[in-house]
Amino acid sequence: MSEQSLPDDDARAQYADALPEYAERVLEVTELIPPGRVMTYGDIAEYLEEGGPRQVGRVMSLYGGAVPWWRVVRADGALLPGHELEALDRYREEGTPLKGASRAAEGHLPRLDLKRARWDGGERAQGHT
């Protein structure tokens, strides 16, 4: 996330016409991820059948402030550098599965338990368009 991140849903709606089509699609998928679940950058690219993890990461860094950005994660389950504590608070609020931190982990922060937290987009067919 950067200083260019949009601050809220109202701002996102205001600038929706200015968003590149790919960015809009990435943000739409991000909004579909249920609380307590996550998708990796690569998962979103695969789900969209377009781009790759770096392109999804770029979209999230520029525009992700208007969506639940903490639900889009690194493939290794490490918390987003610079946003670890805020993300951790949100994961705990939502009941997102976490793995305990090892003593070797910087700051002794937990990692996401991707086996349990990962969402494959399957619920989309059951009520999301």
Side-chain angles (χ1 to χ4, degrees):
M1 302 218 316
S2 73
E3 293 178 14
Q4 295 177 2
S5 296
L6 299 176
D8 56 31
D9 291 337
D10 292 336
R12 180 167 170 234
Q14 178 182 355
Y15 297 108
D17 292 337
L19 289 177
E21 181 182 337
Y22 184 72
E24 187 66 28
R25 292 175 63 213
V26 167
L27 299 177
E28 287 173 359
V29 172
T30 302
E31 290 178 327
L32 293 175
I33 303 169
R37 305 297 297 274
V38 298
M39 289 180 91
T40 67
Y41 297 104
D43 290 341
I44 290 180
E46 186 176 317
Y47 185 87
L48 293 173
E49 298 179 347
E50 184 180 354
R54 289 180 186 262
Q55 288 82 5
V56 172
R58 178 75 173 149
V59 167
M60 294 304 294
S61 73
L62 292 175
Y63 309 110
V67 297
W69 55 266
W70 58 93
R71 297 181 190 151
V72 182
V73 302
R74 294 171 33 160
D76 65 1
L79 304 186
L80 184 64
H83 300 280
E84 301 95 332
L85 298 180
E86 183 178 355
L88 188 56
D89 286 343
R90 292 179 185 264
Y91 297 139
R92 288 179 173 149
E93 282 175 19
E94 294 183 355
T96 307
L98 300 168
K99 290 182 178 182
S102 71
R103 289 185 190 169
E106 187 173 329
H108 301 291
L109 291 171
R111 287 182 177 257
L112 290 157
D113 184 342
L114 289 179
K115 286 186 179 185
R116 294 177 35 220
R118 205 171 208 163
W119 185 65
D120 66 4
E123 296 167 32
R124 178 180 184 197
Q126 302 172 353
H128 290 84
T129 57

